[in-house]
């Protein structure tokens, strides 16, 4: 084979590669759009009246995840199944965002941390690499870290809205999350950088809890929850 | 007395440590159990990555040494010996690549691509350099990949294989050099060819520079054909490639100009002898 033939063949391969990337980009853009809509919807919980509508908002968000699932289905068809990591960078960001949204919805509904399997199911993908388009563990953890900062914000706003018990529950949750992350040996990568931010979220929530307790508002909250008062 | 003392001592424990103790007593929550499994998963992944980085470094070093060895080819009288020595060295590199291939069994190669890419590029450079010296042509990516299919025939492997279920079948591992790694390796090759050109001028070899400039021009044309279809790194190399080509073309130009000043029948004599003669020639009016 002559040199020019070889380069022509290589150019062909690279051109195909570019086409695949173009296709992926289109689907990822649609996914980003859905994720944005969902985020706008869920941001509503931070506003005063939003606290009463949490279940309704969660339900609406769940409907959006239906759209996500169909978009994910179309993403899966855009590239060979065994080349996930070749194109990973294209959907990494939006996948992390979607993990966060799923985790946020699940937290608002049940105040628990969504498992990796559950997120995969909500998004219509696999939890295991062997079985196809999957959720990378680092992306899952990144999404969970975004949840932590969102909850820190939620703690502050729930106090403003007069809900004094929520910050205490958030505090327990975040502390457990923090000890969970402390088990991990992270490399010096983007996940590590995001993990470094977790301590500020923990600190913020502890401050809120402190403010509540020196004013005796935490007792009021627990007593109020017990229905005595 | 002593009991009370111990108790008080216990009370003096720093707060954080006591909290940890308490956590150990409690049964681990679902969240903690899943994070323990994440720890295991991440550690396994990072360990594999580190092993691959190390292999990649070894591959890089050995390939560089092979290239240095091959640069001695033109000046040495025992050309065949050097070629066979380089073959031995490249075999050693391929054994390392086999280890890489084994690490990647059942994995997505691209997940660890960044760990091994530098080594593979250097290997492409070395193997294509050797191929050029032998055949004066460019090795294709298929040819390279053909050499990276390994079977479990070596004795060291069979011991490991006993634990596997399909012992009877000769198992094969293969590693595919990606088009981009190949292109980057070939771009580095042109730098080596430029050095080869300059040193062969020093040795009084007048055919090689022209051959090289021809060859480099073909590669350069190839790269311009690809242009910015490829990733950023490829287009970055294009600049260096152009410089190498310019150097080689200038060397050829100089040879041509000087060559015409010398009577045709003397030309072979002048260039086939030592460098000093060329320098002397320069001194003449």
């Amino acid at each position: 084979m002559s040199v020019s033939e070889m380069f022509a063949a290589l150019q062909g391969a690279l051109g195909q590669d570019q086409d695949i990337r173009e296709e992926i980009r289109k689907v990822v853009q649609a996914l980003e759009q859905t994720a944005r809509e969902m985020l706008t919807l869920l941001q509503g919980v931070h506003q005063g009246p939003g606290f009463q509508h949490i279940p309704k908002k969660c339900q609406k968000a769940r409907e959006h995840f239906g759209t996500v699932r169909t978009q994910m289905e179309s993403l899966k068809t855009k590239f060979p199944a065994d080349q996930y990591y070749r194109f990973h960078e294209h959907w990494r960001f939006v996948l992390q965002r979607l993990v966060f949204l799923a985790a946020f919805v699940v937290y608002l509904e049940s105040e628990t941390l969504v498992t990796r399997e559950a997120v995969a199911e909500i998004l219509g993908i696999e939890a295991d690499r062997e079985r196809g388009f999957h959720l990378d563990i680092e992306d899952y953890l990144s999404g969970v870290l975004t949840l932590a900062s969102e909850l820190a914000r939620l703690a502050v706003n729930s106090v403003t809205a007069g809900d004094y018990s929520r910050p205490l529950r958030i505090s327990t949750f975040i502390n457990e999350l923090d000890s969970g992350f402390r088990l991990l040996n992270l490399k010096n990568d983007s996940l590590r950088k995001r993990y470094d931010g977790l301590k500020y979220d923990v600190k913020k929530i502890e401050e809120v809890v402190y403010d509540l307790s020196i004013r005796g508002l935490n007792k009021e909250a627990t007593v109020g929850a017990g229905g005595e008062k | 007395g002593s009991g009370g003392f111990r108790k008080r001592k216990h009370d003096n424990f720093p707060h954080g440590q006591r909290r940890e103790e308490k956590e150990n007593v409690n049964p681990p929550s679902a969240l903690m159990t899943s994070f323990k499994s994440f720890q295991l998963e991440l550690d396994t992944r990072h360990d594999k990555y580190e092993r691959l980085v190390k292999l990649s470094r070894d591959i890089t070093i050995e390939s560089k040494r092979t290239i240095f060895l091959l640069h001695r080819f033109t000046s040495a009288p025992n050309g065949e010996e050097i070629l066979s020595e380089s073959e031995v060295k490249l075999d050693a590199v391929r054994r390392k690549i086999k280890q890489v291939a084994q690490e990647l069994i059942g994995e997505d190669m691209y997940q660890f691509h960044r760990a091994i890419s530098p080594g593979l590029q250097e290997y492409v450079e070395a193997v294509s350099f050797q191929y050029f010296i032998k055949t004066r042509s460019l090795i294709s990516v298929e040819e390279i990949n053909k050499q990276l299919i390994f079977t479990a025939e070596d004795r060291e492997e069979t011991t490991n294989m006993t634990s596997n279920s399909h012992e009877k079948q000769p198992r094969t591992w293969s590693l595919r050099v990606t088009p981009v790694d190949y292109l980057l390796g070939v771009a580095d090759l042109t730098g080596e060819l430029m050095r080869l050109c300059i040193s062969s001028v020093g040795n009084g070899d007048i055919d090689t520079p022209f051959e090289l400039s021809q060859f480099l021009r073909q590669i350069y044309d190839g790269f311009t054909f690809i242009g910015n279809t490829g990733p950023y790194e490829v287009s970055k190399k294009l600049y260096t490639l152009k410089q190498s080509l310019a150097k080689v073309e200038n060397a050829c130009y100089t040879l041509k100009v000087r060559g015409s000043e010398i009577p045709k029948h003397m030309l072979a004599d002048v260039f086939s002898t030592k460098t000093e003669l060329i320098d002397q020639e320069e001194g003449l009016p």
Side-chain angles (χ1 to χ4, degrees):
Chain A
M1 218 187 344
S2 77
V3 174
S4 61
E5 277 168 351
M6 267 184 232
F7 275 90
L10 287 167
Q11 204 276 337
L14 291 173
Q16 276 175 8
D17 218 67
Q18 255 186 352
D19 293 344
I20 293 179
R21 285 174 200 280
E22 202 50 55
E23 287 287 306
I24 291 176
R25 229 167 280 155
K26 268 185 222 154
V27 186
V28 166
Q29 263 170 17
L31 271 170
E32 274 168 353
Q33 178 61 31
T34 321
R36 263 198 303 274
E37 283 166 18
M38 246 192 290
L39 188 64
T40 320
L41 174 74
L42 288 172
Q43 287 299 303
V45 301
H46 290 288
Q47 278 153 18
F51 281 93
Q52 282 98 54
H53 304 305
I54 285 179
K56 217 162 95 197
K57 286 195 193 309
C58 288
Q59 207 189 334
K60 267 205 180 140
R62 289 259 181 196
E63 284 163 23
H64 278 88
F65 277 118
T67 321
V68 169
R69 277 192 289 271
T70 49
Q71 282 163 342
M72 281 290 181
E73 276 313 314
S74 102
L75 180 59
K76 281 177 212 173
T77 62
K78 300 296 178 211
F79 66 97
D82 57 346
Q83 299 189 354
Y84 180 91
Y85 284 101
R86 185 160 175 202
F87 306 106
H88 190 191
E89 286 306 313
H90 292 293
W91 56 74
R92 198 165 199 169
F93 178 77
V94 72
L95 196 55
Q96 289 174 5
R97 166 67 51 96
L98 288 167
V99 169
F100 154 64
L101 290 167
F104 195 31
V105 168
V106 169
Y107 180 82
L108 290 175
E109 283 171 352
S110 64
E111 307 214 339
T112 54
L113 178 67
V114 68
T115 61
R116 195 169 152 205
E117 290 75 21
V119 181
E121 207 186 312
I122 292 172
L123 302 180
I125 56 181
E126 302 290 342
D128 260 339
R129 190 176 70 80
E130 274 77 22
R131 281 186 287 171
F133 195 100
H134 69 286
L135 174 59
D136 187 82
I137 181 169
E138 290 182 33
D139 293 339
Y140 167 73
L141 292 173
S142 272
V144 169
L145 285 171
T146 316
L147 173 70
S149 14
E150 188 68 17
L151 289 183
R153 192 179 153 214
L154 187 66
V156 171
N157 289 331
S158 54
V159 171
T160 317
D163 183 350
Y164 297 144
S165 61
R166 191 178 284 274
L168 304 180
R169 297 199 303 275
I170 291 178
S171 167
T172 335
F173 179 79
I174 291 278
N175 273 322
E176 200 179 3
L177 205 60
D178 187 41
S179 29
F181 269 99
R182 248 182 283 165
L183 285 177
L184 307 179
N185 307 306
L186 297 175
K187 280 215 304 190
N188 212 358
D189 56 5
S190 69
L191 182 60
R192 165 68 189 275
K193 243 177 249 159
R194 306 194 62 175
Y195 163 68
D196 288 341
L198 180 62
K199 57 176 179 279
Y200 300 110
D201 302 327
V202 173
K203 186 166 169 258
K204 182 81 218 164
I205 295 170
E206 276 174 359
E207 275 168 10
V208 172
V209 171
Y210 169 77
D211 281 339
L212 290 177
S213 44
I214 57 164
R215 292 172 178 80
L217 291 169
N218 60 337
K219 280 198 201 95
E220 192 182 314
T222 43
V223 168
E228 234 176 84
K229 190 147 187 195
Chain B
S2 67
F5 173 70
R6 205 177 293 152
K7 197 175 176 191
R8 216 180 311 137
K9 200 178 162 194
H10 187 260
D11 277 338
N12 285 341
F13 267 141
H15 182 68
Q17 209 171 327
R18 235 173 48 192
R19 210 174 64 177
E20 255 179 29
E21 261 176 38
K22 225 170 82 188
E23 275 172 4
N24 285 341
V25 173
N26 287 342
S29 62
L31 190 144
M32 291 308 263
T33 350
S34 53
F35 268 86
K36 281 220 175 79
S37 74
F38 297 158
Q39 179 195 46
L40 190 71
E41 193 176 338
L42 281 175
D43 285 353
T44 318
R45 183 185 285 191
H46 293 162
D47 288 349
K48 190 178 278 272
Y49 193 88
E50 288 306 317
R51 283 198 300 275
L52 286 170
V53 167
K54 193 168 173 300
L55 281 172
S56 166
R57 284 223 187 99
D58 291 347
I59 292 169
T60 309
I61 291 166
E62 274 308 306
S63 303
K64 275 217 165 79
R65 284 186 187 149
T66 313
I67 291 166
F68 273 110
L69 175 75
L70 287 167
H71 269 301
R72 268 175 258 144
F73 174 77
T74 40
S75 54
N78 46 351
E80 282 308 310
E81 227 169 84
I82 284 186
L83 267 185
S84 59
E85 200 183 330
S86 75
E87 195 54 51
V88 171
K89 270 183 182 292
L90 283 177
D91 272 334
V93 177
R94 277 192 281 268
R95 269 200 295 281
K96 290 270 177 210
I97 297 180
K98 180 180 180 176
Q99 279 175 280
V100 172
Q102 282 169 326
E103 285 281 0
L104 291 175
I105 294 172
E107 301 281 352
D108 186 336
M109 179 205 167
Y110 285 95
Q111 187 176 2
F112 300 99
H113 188 232
R114 230 166 345 150
I116 53 170
S117 178
L120 286 182
Q121 285 172 32
E122 205 67 32
Y123 170 73
V124 169
E125 186 181 341
V127 90
S128 57
F129 191 37
Q130 193 211 31
Y131 191 86
F132 176 80
I133 288 175
K134 275 203 290 203
T135 69
R136 303 273 145 170
S137 59
L138 182 65
I139 193 168
S140 69
V141 66
E142 289 85 9
E143 189 70 29
I144 290 177
N145 283 331
K146 228 183 273 169
Q147 293 176 339
L148 297 182
I149 299 170
F150 312 99
T151 48
E153 279 167 69
D154 308 43
R155 249 166 257 114
E156 39 159 355
E157 274 359 294
T158 44
T159 46
N160 292 341
M161 294 309 296
T162 45
S163 56
N164 267 322
S165 49
H166 14 245
E167 284 174 70
K168 294 279 181 270
Q169 290 174 319
R171 290 237 299 179
T172 57
W173 298 276
S174 64
L175 197 79
R176 296 191 65 82
V177 173
T178 66
V180 173
D181 282 340
Y182 172 75
L183 279 175
L184 294 175
V186 169
D188 290 337
L189 165 73
T190 57
E192 298 306 325
L193 293 179
M194 183 268 290
R195 282 176 58 192
L196 183 70
C197 169
I198 304 303
S199 70
S200 61
V201 172
N203 288 321
D205 181 353
I206 45 159
D207 295 328
T208 308
F210 290 101
E211 228 174 294
L212 277 170
S213 78
Q214 186 90 9
F215 185 63
L216 280 182
R217 222 169 284 146
Q218 284 177 0
I219 294 184
Y220 181 74
D221 290 348
F223 269 96
T224 39
F225 181 66
I226 283 175
N228 53 9
T229 322
Y232 172 66
E233 298 102 291
V234 174
S235 21
K236 218 169 58 180
K237 295 260 176 175
L238 201 58
Y239 178 71
T240 338
L241 175 53
K242 199 168 184 177
Q243 281 184 322
S244 296
L245 180 61
K247 272 184 202 164
V248 171
E249 281 176 339
N250 280 332
C252 288
Y253 163 83
T254 318
L255 275 177
K256 202 81 184 174
V257 172
R258 287 220 193 114
S260 63
E261 284 167 359
I262 311 163
K264 275 251 159 64
H265 65 277
M266 280 176 70
L267 191 68
D269 293 340
V270 170
F271 277 98
S272 60
T273 41
K274 278 288 148 196
T275 332
E276 299 96 74
L277 272 180
I278 298 172
D279 291 338
Q280 272 182 17
E281 202 73 39
E282 230 168 351
L284 291 174

